Amino acid sequence: MARLKRFSLTCLAALCLAGNAQAASQSLPTNQAVDTLSQQEHQHKVDQLRQQVRQAVAFNQTERQRPGGRASVSLQPMFSSQAGSWPFEPFVNNGLFRAIAGYQSRHPQVVTLRSGSITLAQLHDALNDPRVLKRYKDGYLLSYPLLIGPDAGLVLEGTSLYLSSFSGTALINQGWLGLNQSNLESMAGDQPGNTDRAWRPFVVAWAGSHTQVLHSTLKRLGYNANLSRGLTTALSPQQAASTRRATVVIKDSQFSDMSSAVELQHSQATITGSQFEQSQQYAIDVRDSQLNLQGNQVRGVDNNSGLRLRGQTQARVEGNLILGTAKAAIEVSEQQGPVLLAGNRMGDSRGNGIQLRNLAPTATAPLVIDDNLLASSQGTAVDASEVSGVALLDNRIGNTPEYAISLRNATPLPGPLLVSGNRLGQVGKALVRVEGVRDVVLGGNTYDGKPLLQNLLIGDLLPLQGQLLEATVRQGGTVRVRQ
C-alpha cells in the first residue's frame, strides 16, 4: 500500500460566498484530517469493491418444471378460519369474500387444482360450468377464485384469462403458475361490485411456489390492500420460516395499470426485459428477497417510488430505465443486504432520484451506486440520511434544483463514503453535501458549478473546500477526509 502523505487542515473556502447563510449556520467539525491516496491504491479499492458487490448480489435462479400428469379439479368451500384455510385468511377483511358473496349464492367456493398440471382449455372442459369458467373473447373468463395446490400447476400458453371483478376472482398459487405469450387481466363488466371500496382481482403466490411470466401481459390487477396489489409473493405466518422462497421469473413482459405491479416478499426473482407502466403505489416493491432486475422500463408511478428495496434483500439493479415517479426513482430503506445499482437511467421524478434511508452497509453487504444517469428530479439526485456508508462511482448527475449528492446523519456514522469519478453539475444548491460521516474519500470527480455563486462542497467539507478541490481537481489526486 502506498504511503499516505498527511497534512494539517486549514479552513479554506475558496469558492464560497462569505455571506452564504446556509454555510454560516452549520457547526463545523474541527478534528478533521486529510490524507492523499495514490492513484494505484484508490483504483485497487474501487476495483475490489466492484468485484465484491457483484459477488455479493449474485445468485442462481432456481428452475422449476411444472408438475407432471393431469391435475384434478374440484370446487371446495372457502373458510375464513379453519385448518387448511390459511391461503384465504388474509383476504377475509379486504373485500374478497364480500365480492364473492355478490356472485355465489351459497357458501363461497374456490376452484382447486391438485396433483398435476392443467391448461385453461382442459380446465374449462373439466368444470363444464359457465358460471365458473367460460369462453370469452380470445380466451376465458374466470368468475370464481382459483387455488393452485402445492403439487399442481396452471398453464397459460398463447391465450387470455380474464378475471371477473364483480364476482371476487383471484389466483392463489401454492404450486406452479406459468404464462407464456398470454394475457391476464381483470374484467369489470357492467355489473356493480358488492364491496364498500374499490376492489380488483389479484395474484398471490405463497412461499414454496413458482410463478413465471414470459412474453406476456398483465393489466388492471390489484388494489391497495395487503397482499392484493398485483402480483405478490409472501411467506404466510402459517408457514414455517424455513419454507423455501417463492421463485419468480418475469421476462419480456408488460405490466400496466396495476396497484403495485410486482410485490416480492421471501422470494427469489429475476425480472428482465419487461415494461411497467402506470402503477399506483410502486412498480416493484421488494422485501427480504433476492432480486435480479435487468434491462426493464418503468414509466409512471402515481403515488410512490418506482423501485423500493427493504429488509434482508440482496439486489442487482442494472440497466433499467425509470421515469416519471411520484417520489424517488429508486428507494432503499431499512436495508441490510448488499445492493448494486448500476447503469440505470433515472429522470423526471417528483421526489429524489435515489433515496437512501437508515442503512448500515458492511464489508460483506456493500451498497454501490455505479455508472448511473440521474437527471431532472424535483428533489436531490442522491439523497441519503442515517446511512453509514455508500460508494458512488462514475455516475452522471445533473439538472436538479436541490443537491447532486446529499448525505446527512444526525449522529456521526463511520462510513466510508466513496465519491469517485462522478460528473456533477447543473444543480440549484451545492453539488455535494456531507454531514456526519467520519470517513469520506473524494477523487476523479468533475464539478460543473457557478464560481463565487455556488458552493461545490458543503456541510462537514465546507472548511476544506478549497483544499479538497485543489488536491482532487487541479492536481487530479484522491483524498481521504477523516474525523
Side-chain angles (χ1 to χ4, degrees):
M1 179 180 295
R3 186 175 181 178
L4 301 179
K5 183 193 296 181
R6 293 183 61 85
F7 49 87
S8 62
L9 292 183
T10 60
C11 290
L12 298 177
L15 296 178
C16 69
L17 287 173
N20 187 300
Q22 181 182 16
S25 67
Q26 297 175 7
S27 61
L28 303 175
T30 58
N31 59 336
Q32 292 180 322
V34 175
D35 302 324
T36 59
L37 305 177
S38 72
Q39 185 61 30
Q40 182 180 5
E41 180 184 7
H42 173 63
Q43 191 59 50
H44 174 72
K45 175 62 176 177
V46 170
D47 292 343
Q48 185 181 49
L49 185 59
R50 282 176 165 145
Q51 181 180 13
Q52 183 179 5
V53 71
R54 287 195 175 274
Q55 291 176 344
V57 299
F59 64 89
N60 293 321
Q61 178 68 55
T62 303
E63 296 290 337
R64 288 185 59 184
Q65 299 298 318
R66 65 194 188 199
R70 173 75 172 268
S72 64
V73 181
S74 63
L75 293 177
Q76 298 293 331
M78 297 178 70
F79 296 101
S80 60
S81 181
Q82 186 172 308
S85 67
W86 65 262
F88 319 124
E89 287 179 12
F91 314 113
V92 172
N93 298 317
N94 72 359
L96 174 61
F97 276 58
R98 291 192 64 181
I100 293 172
Y103 184 77
Q104 298 188 32
S105 58
R106 52 195 173 190
H107 186 90
Q109 290 185 309
V110 58
V111 179
T112 302
L113 308 182
R114 303 288 185 193
S115 304
S117 298
I118 196 167
T119 67
L120 280 184
Q122 292 170 337
L123 180 61
H124 173 264
D125 294 342
L127 288 167
N128 193 28
D129 186 347
R131 282 185 53 82
V132 181
L133 181 68
K134 68 178 180 180
R135 295 189 183 277
Y136 182 79
K137 293 184 177 179
D138 55 343
Y140 299 86
L141 174 64
L142 179 65
S143 298
Y144 273 40
L146 186 148
L147 173 66
I148 304 169
D151 57 355
L154 176 63
V155 183
L156 278 67
E157 292 271 4
T159 188
S160 292
L161 178 58
Y162 299 90
L163 307 179
S164 172
S165 294
F166 167 73
S167 62
T169 310
L171 298 184
I172 302 170
N173 182 20
Q174 291 182 269
W176 193 97
L177 172 62
L179 284 74
N180 185 21
Q181 296 182 328
S182 294
N183 177 50
L184 179 66
E185 64 181 277
S186 68
M187 195 284 293
D190 56 4
Q191 293 177 297
N194 190 36
T195 61
D196 55 1
R197 59 179 174 175
W199 189 92
R200 290 196 305 187
F202 56 89
V203 180
V204 62
W206 292 113
S209 68
H210 176 78
T211 303
Q212 61 185 43
V213 181
L214 311 177
H215 314 286
S216 295
T217 301
L218 276 71
K219 296 180 182 178
R220 295 189 297 275
L221 298 178
Y223 61 104
N224 192 23
N226 184 41
L227 303 177
S228 306
R229 295 185 179 94
L231 170 57
T232 302
T233 64
L235 174 70
S236 168
Q238 302 299 319
Q239 294 181 288
S242 59
T243 304
R244 66 175 173 177
R245 297 174 183 267
T247 53
V248 177
V249 176
I250 298 172
K251 181 179 180 181
D252 298 333
S253 295
Q254 291 78 43
F255 293 71
S256 61
D257 191 17
M258 311 277 280
S259 179
S260 287
V262 178
E263 188 174 276
L264 302 171
Q265 302 174 34
H266 193 76
S267 62
Q268 181 188 80
T270 297
I271 304 175
T272 57
S274 297
Q275 299 181 18
F276 301 84
E277 298 182 346
Q278 298 310 124
S279 301
Q280 295 175 13
Q281 303 303 325
Y282 298 90
I284 302 168
D285 191 5
V286 185
R287 185 175 70 192
D288 301 330
S289 297
Q290 296 174 303
L291 173 67
N292 181 14
L293 186 71
Q294 287 187 268
N296 304 283
Q297 295 186 12
V298 173
R299 297 177 184 270
V301 178
D302 293 340
N303 298 325
N304 291 298
S305 301
L307 167 66
R308 179 168 67 166
L309 305 175
R310 294 178 293 163
Q312 296 283 352
T313 290
Q314 67 180 68
R316 175 187 178 186
V317 181
E318 188 164 11
N320 303 284
L321 174 68
I322 306 177
L323 300 175
T325 58
K327 292 186 177 178
I330 297 176
E331 173 185 342
V332 188
S333 303
E334 308 288 346
Q335 165 65 28
Q336 300 178 44
V339 173
L340 172 63
L341 309 178
N344 302 289
R345 294 171 292 156
M346 292 161 274
D348 194 28
S349 58
R350 298 190 292 281
N352 302 311
I354 296 175
Q355 179 173 298
L356 311 175
R357 296 289 185 269
N358 301 304
L359 309 178
T362 65
T364 57
L367 170 59
V368 178
I369 301 173
D370 189 0
D371 191 31
N372 299 280
L373 171 63
L374 293 96
S376 302
S377 62
Q378 293 183 20
T380 291
V382 179
D383 186 85
S385 64
E386 313 314 318
V387 175
S388 66
V390 58
L392 293 126
L393 311 174
D394 295 342
N395 300 285
R396 291 167 292 161
I397 300 174
N399 194 25
T400 177
E402 298 290 324
Y403 302 93
I405 299 170
S406 173
L407 198 167
R408 305 179 74 187
N409 297 325
T411 301
L413 294 173
L417 167 64
L418 174 57
V419 183
S420 174
N422 302 281
R423 295 172 58 186
L424 313 175
Q426 295 182 317
V427 302
K429 297 182 179 179
L431 294 174
V432 179
R433 175 173 66 174
V434 179
E435 298 177 13
V437 183
R438 293 196 176 101
D439 189 346
V440 180
V441 177
L442 301 172
N445 300 295
T446 300
Y447 306 97
D448 181 10
K450 301 174 183 178
L452 302 180
L453 297 176
Q454 182 182 38
N455 286 307
L456 302 186
L457 309 176
I458 68 166
D460 296 346
L461 302 180
L462 180 59
L464 312 172
Q465 182 173 213
Q467 184 176 349
L468 296 178
L469 295 174
E470 170 71 22
T472 62
V473 177
R474 185 171 297 179
Q475 298 180 13
T478 299
V479 297
R480 181 182 183 186
V481 182
R482 293 184 292 175
Q483 296 184 37

